[in-house]
Amino acid sequence: QHTNLLVKNGPREADFCFQETPLHPKKPDMGTRVIRICDSVLLENVDVQGVVVGEEIVLLRWGVVKITKIHDNGDLEGEHIPNGNFRAAKKKLSWMANVQSNCPVVLQEFDHLVTKAKMEDDDNFEDFVNPTTMATTEVIGDAALVTLKEHDIIQLERRGYYRVDKPYMGPTKPLMLIMIPDGKSKTMGGLEGKLAHH
């Protein structure tokens, strides 16, 4: 689920504006990548809860945006502040340009077949069969994801690590990614999957 943000003084999609950014914010030796910048931005719904008109938010790797309007459907409008105060903003948000070249992605996750870590001799196996062991989520990914090959390993910000099950082959054949379990029931970034991961 996402919210649309219109940055009224941002570059148009047709301008093809890009910005260079580190592949990993804490490991500059890993190199850099380019990200698309556009006046139409996608934000996670969970991140914009409580945003008010007049509030300044940070779009990570871009800059400060002042919210100027909140539509009835929850979509936002704002203005980029070139030398805005990063530290003063309470919300520092991940985002993605809303452009046609974005990659459709299906995230797959799997859970344990049974819900109990260790079965006892007198346990009835059927009482602990997990009714839901697979879930899929359709998301929108950065255009760079179309370059991934089968079995590549990638980290999606705030979601975790995934292995490429099927590469992107076209609009009707999206990129298929399988979540790699990390032993944690919750992600660091607050974006949960659909399964409990017992």
Side-chain angles (χ1 to χ4, degrees):
Q1 298 290 337
H2 63 266
T3 296
N4 292 294
L5 165 63
L6 176 64
V7 184
K8 292 187 289 185
N9 57 342
R12 304 293 184 261
E13 181 174 0
D15 295 335
F16 288 96
C17 287
F18 295 86
Q19 183 162 308
E20 190 173 19
T21 184
L23 274 171
H24 194 293
K26 296 181 180 179
K27 299 178 181 178
D29 56 312
M30 289 182 66
T32 60
R33 65 184 175 101
V34 292
I35 55 172
R36 187 80 177 268
I37 293 179
C38 178
D39 59 348
S40 181
V41 170
L42 299 176
L43 300 168
E44 296 280 356
N45 283 353
V46 66
D47 290 342
V48 297
Q49 292 177 359
V51 168
V52 297
V53 171
E55 182 177 355
E56 294 184 4
I57 63 173
V58 171
L59 299 182
L60 293 169
R61 302 180 185 87
W62 185 359
V64 177
V65 171
K66 184 176 183 178
I67 301 302
T68 58
K69 186 174 183 179
I70 301 176
H71 292 272
D72 291 340
N73 66 355
D75 287 344
L76 307 171
E77 291 185 17
E79 293 182 0
H80 177 240
I81 303 173
N83 295 307
N85 188 343
F86 277 70
R87 293 187 176 184
K90 293 180 180 178
K91 294 184 181 293
K92 296 172 174 61
L93 309 181
S94 300
W95 59 278
M96 186 171 55
N98 186 16
V99 293
Q100 291 185 356
S101 59
N102 285 342
C103 177
V105 182
V106 175
L107 305 179
Q108 297 175 299
E109 54 185 308
F110 297 90
D111 203 353
H112 297 289
L113 297 177
V114 294
T115 59
K116 189 173 183 180
K118 184 179 179 181
M119 300 292 291
E120 305 295 338
D121 291 339
D122 57 348
D123 282 339
N124 181 359
F125 178 80
E126 293 180 357
D127 292 340
F128 300 98
V129 173
N130 190 350
T132 307
T133 58
M134 177 183 158
T136 60
T137 306
E138 294 183 7
V139 298
I140 302 170
D142 184 274
L145 296 180
V146 302
T147 64
L148 293 174
K149 302 181 294 296
E150 188 177 9
H151 304 307
D152 280 350
I153 304 293
I154 184 172
Q155 182 181 15
L156 299 182
E157 272 187 11
R158 302 173 61 202
R159 288 189 182 271
Y161 288 91
Y162 290 80
R163 181 185 65 79
V164 177
D165 185 42
K166 293 180 181 178
Y168 173 79
M169 299 297 287
T172 61
K173 294 183 178 179
L175 174 67
M176 305 288 288
L177 299 177
I178 296 178
M179 178 187 285
I180 300 172
D182 61 3
K184 299 175 182 176
S185 60
K186 292 190 176 182
T187 62
M188 292 289 287
L191 297 181
E192 309 301 339
K194 292 183 175 179
L195 300 180
H197 299 282
H198 297 91

